[in-house]
Amino acid sequence: MAQWIYRIVPARPARPDAADEQEEAVADHLDYVQALKRAGILILAGRMPEDPATPAITIIEAPDEATARAVMQTDPAVAAGAMIATLYPYVVGAAAGR
């Protein structure tokens, strides 16, 4: 199975008037990542804790680009337009527990 990484960044700077919808999109994204983990699709997900504006990454396994793209585009934060995502092929060289 091939590995893929999608990088997400906020679609726009945080706005006080949109804080609730942005928080909801992030909460839905975190739930989605946990669902990917339970489904055995997720390899790793995370971001730098100091700055929420830094890119976050999600590394997944998928048989092909179309499937990986569908996983990325189904991410609630991406689907809602709160985050902009870019997909890249990836090769996991080594990982704990793999």
Side-chain angles (χ1 to χ4, degrees):
M1 181 95 49
Q3 291 98 38
W4 304 86
I5 186 169
Y6 68 92
R7 176 184 178 270
I8 58 175
V9 294
R12 57 191 176 280
R15 297 185 344 252
D17 63 321
D20 289 342
E21 70 186 50
Q22 289 170 338
E23 285 180 26
E24 184 177 335
V26 169
D28 291 345
H29 163 74
L30 296 174
D31 290 343
Y32 182 71
V33 167
Q34 289 301 316
L36 293 176
K37 180 181 174 185
R38 288 189 299 276
I41 297 169
L42 179 74
I43 296 172
L44 178 141
R47 69 170 178 85
M48 289 183 239
E50 308 84 50
D51 183 358
T54 60
I57 61 165
T58 303
I59 303 174
I60 59 171
E61 287 189 314
D64 53 47
E65 183 176 350
T67 304
R69 190 166 302 282
V71 169
M72 177 185 76
Q73 291 172 336
T74 305
D75 185 316
V78 176
M83 299 283 184
I84 297 170
T86 309
L87 182 69
Y88 303 93
Y90 196 73
V91 176
V92 174
R98 290 184 63 86

